[in-house]
C-alpha cells in the first residue's frame, strides 16, 4: 500500500480477493487514523513500521 499499489495489485500479490484487500486497507487506515493511503504511509513511517 505504501508503495502506491492498488487494491487489485495488493490482492494479486497476496493471493486474496480484491474485496478482502479493500477491507484490510480500510482497517489499516482506520487503525492509523488516516484519511488517505498517503497519510497512512506517513503515519506508519513515523511509527517506525516503514523505513
Amino acid at each position: 500500500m505504501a508503495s502506491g499499489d492498488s487494491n487489485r495489485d495488493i490482492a494479486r500479490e497476496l493471493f486474496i480477493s480484491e474485496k478482502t484487500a479493500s477491507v484490510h486497507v480500510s482497517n489499516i487506515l482506520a487503525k492509523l487514523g488516516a484519511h488517505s493511503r498517503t497519510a497512512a504511509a506517513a503515519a506508519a513511517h513515523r511509527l517506525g513500521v516503514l523505513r
Side-chain angles (χ1 to χ4, degrees):
M1 187 174 89
S3 64
D5 290 347
S6 68
N7 290 346
R8 179 175 287 159
D9 295 333
I10 294 167
R12 201 173 305 130
E13 180 79 18
L14 298 176
F15 303 102
I16 59 176
S17 72
E18 191 172 342
K19 177 63 178 170
T20 300
S22 174
V23 169
H24 285 296
V25 167
S26 294
N27 289 336
I28 290 167
L29 292 174
K31 287 181 182 189
L32 291 173
H35 299 292
S36 69
R37 290 169 181 250
T38 303
H45 183 70
R46 277 193 311 277
L47 294 169
V49 178
L50 296 176
R51 297 180 197 175

